[in-house]
Amino acid sequence: MNSESLDNLVKINKLHREPPDGEEIKGLIRSGTVRLNDARFESLSIESRFDLSYNAAHALSLAALRHCGYRSDNRYLVFQCLQHTLGLSAAKWRVLDQAHKKRNLAEYEGEIDLSPALVQSVLKIAEEIEEAVLRLTGD
């Protein structure tokens, strides 16, 4: 974990320091894991698989951030912090950023334009985040 980078985000009010809450973290991991398991069902629509994968990635990413003692009010920043909380490469959190933009277009403008490749990438990255969070938290 790169706490210096995270502390710099606290200084500019992008993150807040908050002691980890074990029950909250367990709940986020449980939520992410359930969604991730459901996202693997290929019988679901691409939209459902995307939504499940994206939300799994977010819950698990937030669990990592909370485990490190930080909180963010911004979904995008939770993904960006993966570089510092779990050592995830910038290329991977940028895929999550692309998914975040697609999610916002769908949620706020009704524009749903998803490729199977993006959904599969988000799913694979969410699986990687899950594995890293479980290692980080010892679960």
Side-chain angles (χ1 to χ4, degrees), residues 38-49:
D38 289 348
R40 292 182 181 109
F41 287 110
E42 292 183 11
S43 60
L44 294 176
S45 69
I46 191 170
E47 292 85 2
S48 292
R49 294 184 73 216

Side-chain angles (χ1 to χ4, degrees), residues 4 13-14 17 31-32 46 50 56 64 66 68 74-75 81 86-87 102 118 128 131 135 137 139:
E4 182 181 334
N13 294 318
K14 295 291 183 181
R17 269 227 165 261
S31 173
I46 191 170
F50 173 77
R66 292 295 299 120
C68 294
N74 183 314
R75 281 179 171 256
C81 287
L86 298 177
K102 294 276 189 185
L118 175 63
E128 186 177 331
E131 185 178 306
R135 272 195 317 270
T137 61
D139 287 343

Side-chain angles (χ1 to χ4, degrees), residues 1 18-21 25 62-70 133 136-138:
M1 178 185 74
E18 186 176 318
D21 177 331
I25 294 165
L62 184 55
L65 188 64
R66 292 295 299 120
H67 178 80
C68 294
Y70 299 89
V133 166
L136 177 70
T137 61

Side-chain angles (χ1 to χ4, degrees), residues 3-4 13 15 21-23 30 36 58-59 62 72 79 91 94 96-98 102 107 115-116 118-119 121 128 131 138:
S3 62
E4 182 181 334
N13 294 318
L15 286 181
D21 177 331
E23 290 305 310
R30 189 171 37 257
L36 192 53
H58 181 262
L62 184 55
S72 174
F79 292 138
R94 285 189 186 114
L96 296 175
D97 175 50
Q98 181 184 6
K102 294 276 189 185
E107 288 284 320
S115 72
L118 175 63
V119 175
S121 292
E128 186 177 331
E131 185 178 306

Side-chain angles (χ1 to χ4, degrees), residues 102-122:
K102 294 276 189 185
R103 174 229 177 231
N104 282 350
L105 284 172
E107 288 284 320
Y108 303 117
E109 298 180 28
E111 182 180 322
I112 301 172
D113 178 27
L114 299 171
S115 72
L118 175 63
V119 175
Q120 190 61 33
S121 292
V122 173

Side-chain angles (χ1 to χ4, degrees), residues 1-11 14-21 24-25 28 61-73 77-78 81 84-85:
M1 178 185 74
N2 184 343
S3 62
E4 182 181 334
S5 296
L6 297 172
D7 285 338
N8 285 337
L9 291 170
V10 170
K11 289 177 188 174
K14 295 291 183 181
L15 286 181
H16 314 287
R17 269 227 165 261
E18 186 176 318
D21 177 331
E24 176 188 13
I25 294 165
L28 289 166
S61 299
L62 184 55
L65 188 64
R66 292 295 299 120
H67 178 80
C68 294
Y70 299 89
R71 180 177 298 282
S72 174
D73 299 327
L77 196 58
V78 171
C81 287
H84 308 297
T85 58

